[in-house]
Amino acid sequence: MSDLTFGLDTFGDVPEDDSGTPVSDARAIRQVLDEAVLAEETGVDVLALGEHHRPEYAISTPETVLAGIATRTSRIRLASGVTVLSSDDPVRVFQRFATVDALSNGRAEVILGRGSFTESFPLFGYDLSDYDVLFEEKIELFAKLLEEKPVTWSGTKRAPLDNADVFPKTESGHLSTWVGVGGSPQSVIRTAHFGFPLMLAIIGGSPERFAPYIDLYQRATDQFGTTAHPVGMHSPGFIADTDEEAREVHWPHYKVIRDRIGALRGWPPLRKEEYQAEIEHGSLYIGSPETVARKMARAIKALDVGRFDLIYTAGAQPISARLRAVELYGTKVLPMVRDILAG
């Protein structure tokens, strides 16, 4: 477990100031920069920013915000979480992250995904009926771009490339690339086929139920002759000084965002009993540093993952509470998790 790494994820949720007033998108983005600096200062290994195109979230271009963070930090790794490759152009994604890699002296990571939200498809002129083929073709092209050599490629959803050279190159010749997967066996097999590290989005239910996906990834990489990298997981949570405070701050904002998204997906409104059950037995890491650390350690041990990222924002939590959550994660939770796992 010595190479175990820990990250924080956010979608740039638009928070409230301490008077209870939602801030502007611009201030929400600047707030993420402040939290990134604090995360680095407190020992967090990675900061991952998700891409969304909805009013609740201020970050639609993670790599632009990561470029800003790169100039204010020196150690923390800078990732997307995720980049919706299906509705983007692989060449531009590579160029933008290679640029972040340059600005950060080699700290950029891209986590590619198909996207659990679909707003980007109509926004950029893609047909949702092409959901699978778009990702299949574009990840194939992205894998070729990562070789940083002239690319010849053709598909059905993008213009072909003929010996096209793409710039800038990375300084190291390697752009760290993961694939984010929400629970599709086909996605796990595809990730193994290309030899990418696997990041599991475990956002509900018992973490242990994802063990078969990790086993599938390892068996598939063996069959394809690719590398079985340490698997990562990311899950939502929130940390405060006490369990009661964490739930009190997190619950009302979480319920609003969960019910708003759930209404679009045909889910019933979230009940408090379900929320509490998810904290006790599922994949919500809510509570004091001790509570969250114990739960994280159990999940890491059960799945034998090499990285754990906590999605630390959910809706309009107050700025001061978010900063405290970041601080507690780095200074209290992570040392405790490492001690538990070393014991």
Side-chain angles (χ1 to χ4, degrees), residues 166-209:
V166 174
F167 304 96
K169 311 291 186 187
T170 62
E171 211 155 32
S172 67
H174 173 75
L175 177 62
S176 180
T177 303
W178 298 63
V179 176
V181 173
S184 157
Q186 293 80 6
S187 295
V188 173
I189 292 168
R190 184 192 296 114
T191 304
H193 171 72
F194 287 108
F196 289 133
L198 175 70
M199 177 64 72
L200 290 170
I202 305 179
I203 58 173
S206 167
E208 286 81 0
R209 69 192 177 94

Side-chain angles (χ1 to χ4, degrees), residues 204-218:
S206 167
E208 286 81 0
R209 69 192 177 94
F210 278 78
Y213 292 101
I214 296 176
D215 179 61
L216 175 62
Y217 173 70
Q218 292 166 340

Side-chain angles (χ1 to χ4, degrees), residues 17-32:
D17 62 24
D18 287 342
S19 71
T21 304
V23 305
S24 65
D25 289 345
R27 186 175 173 195
I29 291 169
R30 293 192 294 269
Q31 180 60 33
V32 170

Side-chain angles (χ1 to χ4, degrees), residues 3-296:
D3 57 351
L4 186 65
T5 57
F6 295 95
L8 284 170
D9 288 13
T10 179
F11 308 144
D13 304 64
V14 177
E16 294 177 350
D17 62 24
D18 287 342
S19 71
T21 304
V23 305
S24 65
D25 289 345
R27 186 175 173 195
I29 291 169
R30 293 192 294 269
Q31 180 60 33
V32 170
L33 264 70
D34 291 342
E35 288 159 4
V37 171
L38 180 59
E40 174 167 275
E41 289 172 352
T42 56
V44 179
D45 300 307
V46 189
L47 183 80
L49 306 183
E51 172 194 343
H52 288 85
H53 305 272
R54 296 178 52 86
E56 301 89 354
Y57 308 117
I59 295 176
S60 60
T61 58
E63 56 273 50
T64 313
V65 185
L66 294 171
I69 294 169
T71 65
R72 291 183 56 186
T73 56
S74 60
R75 180 194 57 79
I76 196 167
R77 299 215 300 272
L78 305 172
S80 60
V82 299
T83 292
V84 185
L85 186 65
S86 308
S87 57
D88 210 329
D89 185 85
V91 173
R92 293 298 281 152
V93 172
F94 177 84
Q95 290 175 323
R96 296 192 303 255
F97 276 90
T99 301
V100 175
D101 202 61
L103 290 168
S104 64
N105 288 305
R107 291 181 283 135
E109 296 185 358
V110 56
I111 304 180
L112 304 173
R114 293 191 297 173
S116 61
F117 290 77
T118 57
E119 289 85 0
S120 63
F121 288 80
L123 188 63
F124 299 121
Y126 292 97
D127 191 331
L128 273 171
S129 65
D130 295 329
Y131 187 80
D132 290 319
V133 70
L134 280 166
F135 192 72
E136 185 70 50
E137 289 189 359
K138 290 184 177 187
I139 197 170
E140 178 189 50
L141 174 53
F142 199 83
K144 287 181 176 288
L145 293 164
L146 289 172
E147 297 173 12
E148 304 197 21
K149 299 172 184 172
V151 172
T152 297
W153 175 91
S154 65
T156 63
K157 300 299 174 187
R158 187 205 185 280
L161 296 174
D162 182 16
N163 205 37
D165 215 355
V166 174
F167 304 96
K169 311 291 186 187
T170 62
E171 211 155 32
S172 67
H174 173 75
L175 177 62
S176 180
T177 303
W178 298 63
V179 176
V181 173
S184 157
Q186 293 80 6
S187 295
V188 173
I189 292 168
R190 184 192 296 114
T191 304
H193 171 72
F194 287 108
F196 289 133
L198 175 70
M199 177 64 72
L200 290 170
I202 305 179
I203 58 173
S206 167
E208 286 81 0
R209 69 192 177 94
F210 278 78
Y213 292 101
I214 296 176
D215 179 61
L216 175 62
Y217 173 70
Q218 292 166 340
R219 286 188 289 113
T221 53
D222 188 51
Q223 285 192 2
F224 289 126
T226 54
T227 301
H229 300 275
V231 172
M233 63 179 287
H234 86 161
S235 294
F238 195 73
I239 306 151
D241 290 286
T242 66
D243 289 350
E244 295 73 23
E245 184 188 355
R247 295 185 190 205
E248 189 179 310
V249 172
H250 186 264
W251 160 251
H253 303 291
Y254 181 76
K255 177 171 170 54
V256 167
I257 196 84
R258 164 67 169 69
D259 287 353
R260 191 174 296 164
I261 292 162
L264 300 174
R265 301 182 180 186
W267 302 342
L270 181 65
R271 294 180 296 112
K272 190 71 172 280
E273 296 76 17
E274 294 174 73
Y275 174 76
Q276 290 168 336
E278 195 66 44
I279 292 173
E280 299 301 328
H281 309 292
S283 292
L284 269 180
Y285 296 75
I286 310 286
S288 67
E290 294 80 8
T291 297
V292 173
R294 284 195 299 268
K295 186 166 184 178
M296 282 174 56

